Amino acid sequence: MQERFLESKSDLFFAGELSALSAISGSFAEQVKVIHIVGQTARQQQEKRLVIHHCNDINPDHKVYERMSEPVRVAAAELWHSGNAPAEIDRVIRECFVRSRPVYIFFPSDVVDLQVPSSLLQKKIDLSLPIYSAAQDNAVSAIVKRFSEAQNPSIFVDALVLRHGVVEEVRELVDALKIPVYYAMMGKHIVEDAHKCMVGLYNVVISSPGVAEAFQTSDLVLVLGNVPSDTNTGGFTRRISQAQIDVRPFEVMVDGKLHQGTYMKPLLAELVRTLPKVRKPSVIPKLSAASETKSSRQDIITQDWVWGRLAQFFEPGDVVFGDTGTCTFGLHGESFTPGSHFVTQTFYGSIGWATPAALGSELAIVDGAKLGQIDHKRTILITGDGSFASTMQEVGTMVKNNLAPIIFIINNDGYTVERVIHGGTPTIQRYQQTRFRSNPSRFLAPGSPCQLSQMHHSD
Amino acid sequence: MQERFLESKSDLFFAGELSALSAISGSFAEQVKVIHIVGQTARQQQEKRLVIHHCNDINPDHKVYERMSEPVRVAAAELWHSGNAPAEIDRVIRECFVRSRPVYIFFPSDVVDLQVPSSLLQKKIDLSLPIYSAAQDNAVSAIVKRFSEAQNPSIFVDALVLRHGVVEEVRELVDALKIPVYYAMMGKHIVEDAHKCMVGLYNVVISSPGVAEAFQTSDLVLVLGNVPSDTNTGGFTRRISQAQIDVRPFEVMVDGKLHQGTYMKPLLAELVRTLPKVRKPSVIPKLSAASETKSSRQDIITQDWVWGRLAQFFEPGDVVFGDTGTCTFGLHGESFTPGSHFVTQTFYGSIGWATPAALGSELAIVDGAKLGQIDHKRTILITGDGSFASTMQEVGTMVKNNLAPIIFIINNDGYTVERVIHGGTPTIQRYQQTRFRSNPSRFLAPGSPCQLSQMHHSD
């Protein structure tokens, strides 16, 4: 799935390039694969420092913006000569996949017309992850030894498993080990909620009832792909105090010893082969099913009712986007339909990201379906009125492209999560109360597949 | 006027800071005074590299975004200690005014609560421009000598006169010298269109009829505040071939000799005193009034009709914003009402800037009127449907704040200027056809001062 959601963004140089910078920074933070293709002025214009519009000085250095994105990319290709352009493109695509972070390709406008050999197109780009055998063997031995000594090991899954494309390996490992599984908010649905080994969301201050107590009975935790941000640890209240094996994208920490040069995907594949050999029988804690949350009021939509109701709506194959804010925090604890996918951005937390992301997802689903490559079904966007206000114009792009994702806008009069954080209802945090009935309709063209409805109370 | 439109932007650190970066870069390009106040994580959180949301790595350097804005600011204050905080704030405010470009103030969140002496508040910040007497005297002597030798000198005005607050000095100089005045697109209305010395827009490929020929009769041009970008020179077709005195913000070029360390404002003030002494009688070229442009069609709104009609609507005191695209190119050549102000962004050229700029202008007008400090009357925004789509949500902020600027949206089905540049009507440049009648209405609250109407043909 990861590869299918590779994002590619192309921009006019300068103004457009900088407007995208927060989105690229978010992809860097969340370890998402993005290829940002930036068109630049022609090489001669750059060399002569011509004062072209979108530059930012009278004797302009045309590469000034290129330098500004250095901290939020892992590789960049400057296609200045036709000779090395094809190899440079392949190089940064590989870096994008291996390191799972944004890369840039800078294209002076006159380079687009140059002829290059097509030979590299015949060759599949090598996207395999490096394996440093000695380092990996040492790490695996240490992990196996530690596991064989443990009485009640468990697995804790988090977002970097998703980002680095290791979901299948993790699911295989869980099936083979049959030990308790816990997840961080950002690690939602890597192991499905209905899996027999799944105990629940472990987050301390916002865990499901009984989960924290169950977690404490474990004497060793295999931590996979952790993002230890405030928003993903219940405000730093989750501290894993027992012994742990901390598997990170390019290294692993075992008993306080750091093993570097171990890539998560091949390491996990090796653990699937070796760890079951030292497996002991394990008991999965059975928690009493959470009592069905029910709104105390039927006449309005409440936070404690809406998320569970929305989760019931998801079907296998759905790709669900929850924008930053109450949507994220509300949905993480709900039980999702097996086979559905959940995408959030809880670490970087830039509101408004999910509307254009849903546009990209739906485009990929439609394109993939045409090619027969995709089994996904629907894109579902769940956003708040505050987040939606940031990027609402992308609904216009959806309609223009005849796309029809399903959009839920939780209209709670703006920035509820900020009100929770800061208390009260200061007017500065309130977005202009909007008329959503009339809003999406403004984007509708005749014959559009979009429909519109409004809910004011629980059904 | 310049000082009244000083912009101040405050942002939550990181995601918000980066989202504003293109706007700050545009202000750097256009030499606009902006103070960008960025709230940061608390000092201890920064020192401990805590993984706070909006950071972008697992062991995060909280200052990574701060470094990304270095190329688009002229000064920055990091308020890390209470001791020097008041002086640091005053220092960057001065830099902002003297250099007329963005400055940053970075505020760790825990610094906000620190007590500081209020003594500096009693002292007016020194915003006077430096005068290096020797350099300025040399430059003035060279300019006076050159002027005394010229038979038919003229003045060419451009945007940096506006940006560096030298409009009054330029108007005084024109009144004293009584020589022909020409303007660049970005220098519109520094000397008013109705002034008896005004000849017209000199842009070569898009000049008013007869202006280019008149310009050639001049044997010396005093160039004031030029921005020599492609978009401001008729695509580099305007080359001033005769002798020129090129007055730039911090230096002046006379007969190919560069005099550095001369600030435009005090230099112009000195020229107002000295140049009239060597003045010769001058004839202002009288061009036949441009025949009134009339649409060839009455049933639709055409480019050759709409700009002149809009210009007739302007009143003294109006602040008119023309967004990037056909609005900019269309309005520059029209004759504006004396006392009206015109704001464009022709060099940086980032579409969508004008809607939030109009919001800021209207806020300043309303606030200034309350304080009795402002004589401006109305904010008028003229934008295209493509530009408007970029930042339309700021209409919601206007309505929320009970502001009622006048907004004209030229709905020509998206990105007309791109179609002119690239030819044809490629679908990629088309914005989703929108229903403007239903759009602004979505932001309307009960009792809003906003009204809505629609024009389909010339009146």
Side-chain angles (χ1 to χ4, degrees):
Chain A
M1 174 181 160
Q2 195 69 15
E3 285 71 14
R4 293 190 191 128
F5 283 94
L6 170 75
E7 289 178 59
S8 170
K9 170 156 192 13
S10 82
D11 257 318
L12 189 64
F13 80 121
F14 300 173
E17 178 183 351
L18 286 190
S19 295
L21 207 49
S22 181
I24 301 296
S25 179
S27 304
F28 187 92
E30 297 270 336
Q31 306 196 21
V32 171
K33 301 169 182 70
V34 177
I35 301 172
H36 192 176
I37 302 166
V38 180
Q40 293 184 322
T41 42
R43 290 168 296 176
Q44 230 186 29
Q45 292 176 323
Q46 294 193 39
E47 282 165 348
K48 289 183 178 169
R49 298 175 78 104
L50 288 189
V51 193
I52 305 289
H53 62 288
H54 302 328
C55 285
N56 82 350
D57 215 342
I58 299 292
N59 175 28
D61 172 3
H62 293 216
K63 293 210 183 299
V64 63
Y65 306 127
E66 186 176 322
R67 285 196 300 276
M68 289 164 78
S69 59
E70 273 177 14
V72 293
R73 66 189 195 220
V74 291
E78 284 190 21
L79 303 186
W80 201 264
H81 306 291
S82 58
N84 65 351
E88 274 294 283
I89 292 171
D90 287 4
R91 177 182 67 82
V92 298
I93 291 175
R94 174 171 164 76
E95 286 297 305
C96 178
F97 276 82
V98 169
R99 301 175 69 182
S100 196
R101 278 189 152 154
V103 298
Y104 273 66
I105 299 176
F106 297 99
F107 256 106
S109 60
D110 58 326
V111 168
V112 175
D113 299 324
L114 299 181
Q115 298 281 319
V116 295
S118 63
S119 54
L120 278 181
L121 288 178
Q122 314 306 323
K123 207 182 142 199
K124 208 165 179 319
I125 299 175
D126 175 18
L127 300 179
S128 66
L129 296 170
I131 301 177
Y132 303 108
S133 300
Q136 181 169 303
D137 291 350
N138 278 340
V140 169
S141 298
I143 294 168
V144 169
K145 176 168 179 294
R146 202 60 199 76
F147 241 78
S148 66
E149 297 162 2
Q151 298 308 312
N152 189 20
S154 64
I155 291 179
F156 180 84
V157 292
D158 203 352
L160 299 186
V161 166
L162 281 164
R163 308 292 197 259
H164 288 265
V166 197
V167 171
E168 289 313 312
E169 289 82 352
V170 168
R171 290 180 176 177
E172 277 184 65
L173 188 66
V174 168
D175 288 342
L177 292 180
K178 300 185 182 62
I179 59 177
V181 177
Y182 301 84
Y183 67 93
M185 276 176 55
M186 292 177 68
K188 176 80 181 168
H189 229 216
I190 293 168
V191 176
E192 295 193 330
D193 294 320
H195 194 284
K196 59 185 185 300
C197 293
M198 175 54 72
V199 185
L201 170 65
Y202 175 49
N203 218 8
V204 188
V205 296
I206 23 179
S207 299
S208 307
V211 173
E213 295 74 11
F215 188 83
Q216 295 311 325
T217 65
S218 177
D219 62 342
L220 176 70
V221 185
L222 180 63
V223 177
L224 302 176
N226 188 208
V227 176
S229 74
D230 55 349
T231 40
N232 195 37
T233 58
F236 299 126
T237 59
R238 182 186 65 233
R239 292 175 199 277
I240 299 176
S241 53
Q242 54 267 70
Q244 57 179 297
I245 296 159
D246 188 5
V247 180
R248 303 167 187 166
F250 315 118
E251 62 187 22
V252 53
M253 179 84 88
V254 187
D255 277 338
K257 181 170 183 240
L258 191 65
H259 298 257
Q260 289 180 304
T262 60
Y263 281 72
M264 196 192 286
K265 194 176 178 76
L267 181 81
L268 264 285
E270 191 56 30
L271 290 180
V272 168
R273 279 188 287 276
T274 52
L275 269 191
K277 295 174 191 162
V278 296
R279 170 184 180 271
K280 297 189 184 74
S282 181
V283 177
I284 310 297
K286 284 287 159 233
L287 306 182
S288 53
S291 59
E292 201 192 324
T293 52
K294 225 181 158 64
S295 172
S296 53
R297 296 179 58 174
Q298 300 289 324
D299 56 331
I300 57 167
I301 293 174
T302 58
Q303 295 269 347
D304 62 4
W305 171 83
V306 70
W307 309 115
R309 181 64 190 83
L310 283 169
Q312 289 169 23
F313 177 74
F314 305 154
E315 296 175 6
D318 284 351
V319 185
V320 181
F321 290 84
D323 209 315
T324 300
T326 46
C327 301
T328 306
F329 292 103
L331 280 167
H332 277 297
E334 299 299 333
S335 190
F336 277 27
T337 308
S340 58
H341 306 273
F342 186 46
V343 191
T344 59
Q345 194 216 63
T346 308
F347 175 27
Y348 193 64
S350 179
I351 65 166
W353 71 276
T355 302
L359 161 64
S361 162
E362 188 66 11
L363 267 176
I365 287 174
V366 169
D367 282 0
K370 279 184 201 155
L371 297 169
Q373 290 174 343
I374 290 240
D375 57 349
H376 296 109
K377 201 173 162 187
R378 307 183 297 184
T379 298
I380 299 174
L381 166 63
I382 303 174
T383 184
D385 55 325
S387 292
F388 184 68
S390 302
T391 50
M392 58 171 73
Q393 39 276 89
E394 293 313 323
V395 175
T397 316
M398 293 171 185
V399 174
K400 176 185 155 195
N401 287 283
N402 229 26
L403 303 173
I406 297 166
I407 304 178
F408 292 94
I409 302 168
I410 309 295
N411 187 356
N412 50 20
D413 201 10
Y415 308 126
T416 297
V417 79
E418 296 292 333
R419 281 183 258 154
V420 171
I421 293 171
H422 297 289
T425 55
T427 51
I428 199 163
Q429 288 150 7
R430 292 203 158 209
Y431 179 67
Q432 174 61 24
Q433 174 70 21
T434 46
R435 296 181 178 178
F436 282 102
R437 177 170 285 281
S438 64
N439 170 44
S441 72
R442 69 173 287 280
F443 297 108
L444 297 188
S448 159
C450 298
Q451 295 181 341
L452 198 61
S453 64
Q454 214 169 11
M455 281 198 304
H456 288 290
H457 45 75
S458 47
D459 59 354
Chain B
M1 173 181 161
Q2 196 69 15
E3 285 71 14
R4 293 189 192 128
F5 284 95
L6 170 75
E7 288 178 60
S8 170
K9 170 156 193 12
S10 82
D11 257 317
L12 188 64
F13 80 121
F14 300 173
E17 178 183 351
L18 286 191
S19 295
L21 207 49
S22 181
I24 300 296
S25 179
S27 304
F28 187 93
E30 297 270 337
Q31 305 196 21
V32 171
K33 301 169 182 69
V34 177
I35 300 172
H36 192 176
I37 302 166
V38 180
Q40 294 184 322
T41 42
R43 290 168 296 176
Q44 232 188 26
Q45 292 176 322
Q46 294 193 38
E47 282 165 349
K48 289 183 178 169
R49 299 175 78 105
L50 287 189
V51 193
I52 305 288
H53 61 287
H54 303 327
C55 285
N56 82 351
D57 215 342
I58 299 292
N59 175 28
D61 173 3
H62 293 215
K63 293 210 184 298
V64 62
Y65 306 127
E66 186 176 323
R67 284 197 300 276
M68 289 164 77
S69 59
E70 273 178 14
V72 293
R73 67 190 195 219
V74 291
E78 284 190 21
L79 304 186
W80 201 264
H81 306 291
S82 58
N84 65 350
E88 275 294 282
I89 292 171
D90 286 4
R91 177 182 68 81
V92 298
I93 291 175
R94 174 171 164 76
E95 286 297 305
C96 178
F97 276 82
V98 168
R99 301 175 68 183
S100 196
R101 278 190 153 154
V103 298
Y104 274 66
I105 299 176
F106 297 99
F107 256 106
S109 61
D110 58 326
V111 168
V112 175
D113 299 324
L114 299 181
Q115 298 281 319
V116 295
S118 63
S119 54
L120 279 181
L121 289 179
Q122 315 306 322
K123 207 182 142 199
K124 208 165 180 319
I125 299 175
D126 175 18
L127 300 179
S128 66
L129 296 170
I131 301 177
Y132 303 108
S133 300
Q136 182 170 303
D137 291 350
N138 278 340
V140 169
S141 298
I143 294 168
V144 169
K145 177 168 180 293
R146 202 60 199 75
F147 241 79
S148 66
E149 297 162 2
Q151 297 308 311
N152 189 20
S154 63
I155 291 179
F156 180 84
V157 292
D158 203 352
L160 298 186
V161 165
L162 281 164
R163 308 293 197 259
H164 288 265
V166 197
V167 171
E168 289 314 312
E169 289 82 353
V170 169
R171 289 180 176 177
E172 277 184 65
L173 188 67
V174 168
D175 287 342
L177 292 180
K178 300 184 182 64
I179 59 177
V181 177
Y182 301 84
Y183 67 94
M185 276 177 54
M186 291 177 68
K188 175 81 181 169
H189 229 216
I190 293 168
V191 176
E192 295 193 329
D193 294 320
H195 194 284
K196 60 185 185 300
C197 293
M198 175 54 72
V199 186
L201 170 65
Y202 175 49
N203 218 8
V204 187
V205 296
I206 24 180
S207 299
S208 307
V211 173
E213 295 73 11
F215 188 84
Q216 295 311 326
T217 65
S218 177
D219 62 343
L220 177 70
V221 185
L222 180 63
V223 177
L224 303 175
N226 189 208
V227 177
S229 74
D230 55 348
T231 40
N232 194 37
T233 58
F236 299 127
T237 59
R238 182 186 66 233
R239 292 175 198 277
I240 299 176
S241 53
Q242 54 267 70
Q244 58 179 297
I245 296 159
D246 188 6
V247 180
R248 304 167 188 167
F250 315 118
E251 62 186 21
V252 53
M253 179 83 90
V254 187
D255 277 339
K257 182 171 182 239
L258 190 65
H259 298 257
Q260 289 180 303
T262 61
Y263 281 72
M264 196 192 286
K265 194 176 178 76
L267 181 81
L268 264 285
E270 191 56 30
L271 290 180
V272 168
R273 280 188 287 276
T274 52
L275 270 190
K277 295 174 192 162
V278 296
R279 168 183 182 272
K280 296 190 185 75
S282 181
V283 177
I284 310 297
K286 285 287 159 232
L287 306 181
S288 52
S291 59
E292 201 192 323
T293 52
K294 226 182 157 64
S295 173
S296 53
R297 295 179 59 174
Q298 301 288 324
D299 56 331
I300 57 166
I301 294 174
T302 57
Q303 295 268 349
D304 62 3
W305 171 84
V306 71
W307 309 115
R309 181 64 191 82
L310 283 169
Q312 289 169 24
F313 176 75
F314 305 154
E315 295 174 6
D318 284 351
V319 185
V320 181
F321 291 83
D323 209 314
T324 300
T326 46
C327 301
T328 307
F329 291 103
L331 280 167
H332 278 297
E334 299 299 333
S335 189
F336 277 27
T337 308
S340 59
H341 306 273
F342 186 45
V343 190
T344 59
Q345 193 216 63
T346 308
F347 175 28
Y348 193 64
S350 179
I351 64 165
W353 71 276
T355 302
L359 161 64
S361 162
E362 188 66 11
L363 266 176
I365 287 174
V366 169
D367 282 0
K370 279 183 201 154
L371 297 168
Q373 290 174 343
I374 290 240
D375 57 349
H376 296 109
K377 201 173 163 187
R378 307 182 297 183
T379 298
I380 299 174
L381 165 64
I382 303 174
T383 184
D385 56 324
S387 291
F388 184 67
S390 302
T391 50
M392 58 170 74
Q393 40 276 89
E394 293 313 323
V395 175
T397 316
M398 293 171 185
V399 174
K400 176 185 155 196
N401 287 283
N402 228 25
L403 302 173
I406 297 166
I407 304 178
F408 292 94
I409 302 168
I410 310 294
N411 187 356
N412 50 20
D413 200 11
Y415 308 126
T416 297
V417 80
E418 296 292 333
R419 281 183 257 154
V420 170
I421 293 171
H422 298 289
T425 55
T427 51
I428 198 163
Q429 288 150 8
R430 292 203 159 209
Y431 180 67
Q432 174 61 25
Q433 174 70 20
T434 46
R435 296 182 178 176
F436 283 102
R437 177 170 286 281
S438 64
N439 170 44
S441 72
R442 69 173 286 280
F443 297 107
L444 297 188
S448 159
C450 298
Q451 295 181 339
L452 198 62
S453 64
Q454 215 169 10
M455 281 198 304
H456 288 290
H457 45 75
S458 47
D459 59 354

